[in-house]
């Protein structure tokens, strides 16, 4: 029997314990078991195990439970490398108790199940390992720590506002750990995010909370951003590098957190879309311009890339990052609104550089649509309205990058309604030790 460690929430007198035969894995990093006809979502267990579990939530339809003792262990079980992982402890990692190959199999099973159940798509999914973190540790280049009232730093417990104080995060990149954030007092702050570029070593710390939050002296020189970037004021940034191109990413702005992810995804998107010189491409949810840059280089000066992004600071970063690519236009706004207004035409009848036209439906510009589209929405996915616009505008290929199997599956069903089906689906282990996975669906007509 394996005791899974002290659980600060456990009261042996008051708590309810169940013995469970653990079934398959479900969305959200939990395994599924049954007890007296009801579904039990079990954390800290693995498929095929028999466990003793503490009930953490009881509703009319289901129970939630944390495995506290393993009575029969899966061969995939390993000792969690992090001392803060375990029932009732830090909620940052879901699967430290599974070997890395087993974690990838579990993620693949979740993606397959979502595709089958939500979109009716039968696929065998293989989750590919990314370079730079062979043991699944030391990869996270952005870590947002929570701060307790007394200034101590930690990470939230699973489904809780409670904070588990930690003095080291094993999945954090060594460049984040070198700042020593967890070992300093942060009175007055609500969260502190350490950001490092694995490529250039640039570092920023983003302090959120009260204006009077004290910023302690860190162990290495770090630029500090308090709160959100303000227009007109310089914002500390890190420089990232992909395919030999530098990208400025301000403060807490979006960038892939795994040091291998941005390059692997860019290569995968280019391979999927095969953009050709002179073509028109759309990059929706474009962030700091990662995919727009690669597409802009491929379509060349006679092509056109329209990048759409809603965050003002990300748009400023993208415009700076893409300043040498006049064939890329960055549009600020919500994707649903901007693409509803966009018309693609050639301002000079096709002989020179293409220009996007926006908001002028009566102007007579020829509507050609886009040859290729990449979309990379946040976890909530693109949704039906955006999918319908994209399905109408796209010509040859669509690349859908997603970090959520459930919303990807939902949107793939919408695309299928419009005649676009997955020609290929790739999955990447961009978040080892956690339940999260990065996905790329390549869609073709028919
Ligand atoms: C997952 S990130 C992708 C960024 C970029 N493709 C990359 O890989 O670095 C999603 C981006 O979508 C932006 N975003 C979120 N909702 C949006 C919306 N409704 N319209 C436009 N952009 C949005 C976010 O600000 C964020 O930059």
């Amino acid at each position: 029997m394996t005791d899974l460690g002290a659980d600060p929430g456990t009261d042996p007198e008051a708590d309810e314990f169940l013995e469970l035969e653990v079934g398959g894995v479900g969305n959200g990093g939990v395994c599924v078991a049954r007890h007296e006809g009801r579904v039990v979502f079990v954390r800290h267990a693995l498929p095929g195990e028999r466990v003793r579990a503490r009930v953490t939530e009881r509703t009319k339809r289901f129970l939630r439970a944390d495995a506290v003792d393993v009575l029969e262990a899966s061969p995939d079980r390993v000792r969690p490398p992090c001392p803060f992982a375990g029932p009732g402890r830090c909620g940052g990692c879901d699967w430290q108790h599974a070997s890395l190959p087993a974690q990838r199999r579990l993620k693949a099973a979740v993606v397959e199940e979502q595709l089958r159940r939500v979109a009716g798509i039968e696929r065998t999914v293989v989750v590919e390992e990314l370079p730079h973190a062979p043991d699944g540790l030391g990869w996270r280049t952005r870590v947002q720590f929570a701060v307790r009232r007394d200034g101590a730093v930690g990470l939230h417990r699973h489904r809780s506002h409670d904070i588990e104080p930690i003095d080291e995060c094993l999945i954090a990149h060594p460049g984040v750990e070198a700042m020593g954030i967890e070992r300093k007092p942060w009175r007055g702050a609500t969260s502190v995010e350490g950001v490092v570029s694995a490529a250039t070593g640039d570092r920023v710390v983003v302090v959120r909370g009260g204006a009077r939050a004290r910023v302690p002296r860190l162990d290495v020189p770090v630029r500090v951003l308090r709160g959100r970037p303000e227009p007109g004021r310089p914002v500390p940034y890190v420089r990232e590098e992909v395919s030999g191109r530098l990208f400025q990413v301000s403060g807490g702005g979006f960038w892939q957190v795994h040091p291998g992810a941005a390059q692997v995804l860019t290569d995968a998107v280019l391979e999927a879309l095969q953009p050709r010189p002179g073509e028109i491409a759309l990059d929706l949810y474009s962030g700091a311009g990662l995919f727009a840059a690669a597409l802009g280089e491929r379509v060349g000066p006679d092509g056109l890339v329209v990048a759409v992004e809603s965050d003002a600071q990300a748009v400023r970063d993208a415009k700076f990052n893409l300043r040498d690519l006049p064939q890329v236009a960055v549009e600020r706004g919500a994707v649903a609104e901007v693409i509803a207004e966009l018309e693609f035409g050639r301002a000079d009848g096709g002989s020179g550089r293409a220009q996007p036209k926006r908001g002028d439906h009566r102007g007579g510009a020829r509507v050609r649509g886009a040859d290729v589209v990449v979309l990379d929405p946040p976890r909530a996915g693109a949704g039906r309205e955006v999918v319908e616009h994209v399905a109408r505008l796209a010509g040859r290929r669509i690349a859908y990058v997603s970090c959520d199997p459930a919303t990807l599956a939902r949107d793939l069903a919408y695309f299928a309604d419009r005649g676009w089906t997955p020609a290929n689906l790739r999955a990447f282990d961009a978040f080892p030790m956690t339940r999260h996975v990065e996905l790329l669906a390549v869609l073709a007509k028919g």
Side-chain angles (χ1 to χ4, degrees):
M1 184 172 94
T2 313
D3 175 354
L4 296 183
D7 177 346
T10 301
D11 173 354
E13 299 294 309
D15 286 338
E16 182 186 359
F17 293 90
L18 306 173
E19 211 175 288
L20 299 169
E21 306 280 339
V22 180
V25 66
N27 201 14
V30 290
C31 288
V32 182
R34 291 208 155 270
H35 179 72
E36 294 175 352
R38 265 196 286 180
V39 169
V40 189
F41 298 115
V42 200
R43 272 172 65 79
H44 308 288
L46 289 171
E49 290 188 329
R50 201 160 60 80
V51 299
R52 184 168 163 270
R54 181 173 70 91
V55 176
T56 54
E57 188 182 342
R58 192 177 259 282
T59 74
K60 281 192 182 143
R61 290 175 25 248
F62 63 83
L63 306 173
R64 290 185 191 280
D66 280 352
V68 290
D69 295 318
V70 181
L71 308 174
E72 275 171 37
S74 158
D76 293 327
R77 181 169 281 276
V78 296
R79 192 182 184 78
C82 175
F84 303 105
R89 307 290 303 277
C90 171
C93 292
D94 311 282
W95 280 338
Q96 290 224 358
H97 57 287
S99 70
L100 277 172
Q103 291 178 25
R104 292 195 271 272
R105 286 199 303 275
L106 293 172
K107 294 179 197 201
V110 170
V111 178
E112 287 171 1
E113 197 250 351
Q114 291 295 313
L115 290 175
R116 184 181 319 115
R117 204 164 51 77
V118 181
I121 297 169
E122 291 290 341
R123 271 302 141 101
T124 302
V125 173
V126 176
V127 176
E128 301 170 39
E129 185 183 345
L130 293 187
H132 296 301
D135 56 0
L137 301 174
W139 53 270
R140 201 172 170 102
T141 56
R142 279 129 208 276
V143 185
Q144 186 165 341
F145 299 98
V147 182
R148 291 198 318 201
R149 276 183 186 209
D150 63 2
V153 162
L155 290 166
H156 283 289
R157 296 190 174 124
H158 182 64
R159 297 171 64 83
S160 167
H161 294 298
D162 289 353
I163 295 170
E164 169 90 19
I166 62 169
D167 56 18
E168 188 183 13
C169 172
L170 291 189
I171 62 168
H173 189 276
V176 172
E177 278 304 302
M179 298 184 210
I181 292 171
E182 306 99 301
R183 296 175 289 282
K184 313 281 177 205
W186 293 88
R187 270 182 210 92
T190 53
S191 75
V192 184
E193 184 178 2
V195 179
V196 70
S197 162
T200 63
D202 293 347
R203 292 187 179 99
V204 170
V205 72
V206 184
V207 184
R208 299 185 180 90
R212 289 202 299 274
R214 268 197 50 223
V215 177
R217 196 184 163 80
L218 290 166
D219 294 351
V220 289
V222 178
R223 289 187 288 173
V224 177
L225 170 65
R226 285 167 178 272
R228 286 188 60 76
E230 283 174 32
R233 298 189 64 180
V235 181
Y237 58 83
V238 297
R239 291 160 307 146
E240 300 284 356
E241 191 192 330
V242 172
S243 303
R245 172 180 284 273
L246 284 177
F247 292 82
Q248 163 181 312
V249 184
S250 294
F254 182 88
W255 191 259
Q256 287 289 338
V257 296
H258 190 293
Q263 183 71 62
V264 167
L265 285 171
T266 302
D267 293 344
V269 166
L270 287 180
E271 191 186 320
L273 296 180
Q274 302 277 329
R276 301 169 193 148
E279 282 195 326
I280 296 178
L282 268 181
D283 176 9
L284 307 178
Y285 310 91
S286 52
L290 173 67
F291 300 137
L295 292 169
E297 285 172 3
R298 288 290 182 94
V299 302
D302 293 333
L304 168 66
V305 180
V306 181
V308 184
E309 164 62 45
S310 60
D311 180 77
Q313 190 59 43
V315 168
R316 282 192 280 275
D317 283 346
K319 287 187 170 167
F320 178 79
N321 295 332
L322 305 168
R323 64 197 180 286
D324 61 325
L325 295 171
Q327 62 271 37
V328 183
V330 184
E331 293 278 340
R332 180 179 171 203
V335 165
E337 289 162 24
V338 176
I339 59 169
E341 292 175 19
L342 273 178
E343 285 185 89
F344 298 91
R346 295 194 183 267
D348 62 355
S351 59
R353 216 179 71 220
Q355 297 288 339
K357 296 193 176 299
R358 183 175 171 192
D360 178 16
H361 293 269
R362 299 166 306 281
R366 200 148 47 97
V367 178
R368 290 185 40 191
D371 299 292
V372 291
V373 179
V374 56
L375 66 161
D376 182 8
R379 191 148 288 153
R384 189 187 281 278
E385 189 185 352
V386 169
V387 165
E388 290 188 352
H389 282 301
V390 172
R392 181 173 51 77
L393 285 169
R396 250 182 345 95
R397 275 277 194 278
I398 298 168
Y400 189 143
V401 180
S402 163
C403 59
D404 189 301
T407 57
L408 175 69
R410 178 202 67 199
D411 288 348
L412 289 184
Y414 296 152
F415 271 115
D417 290 345
R418 299 277 152 185
W420 287 87
T421 52
N424 191 13
L425 195 129
R426 292 179 69 182
F428 304 96
D429 197 10
F431 311 93
M433 304 291 167
T434 78
R435 66 179 186 274
H436 298 290
V437 58
E438 194 74 14
L439 301 159
L440 168 65
V442 187
L443 307 183
K445 257 187 195 151

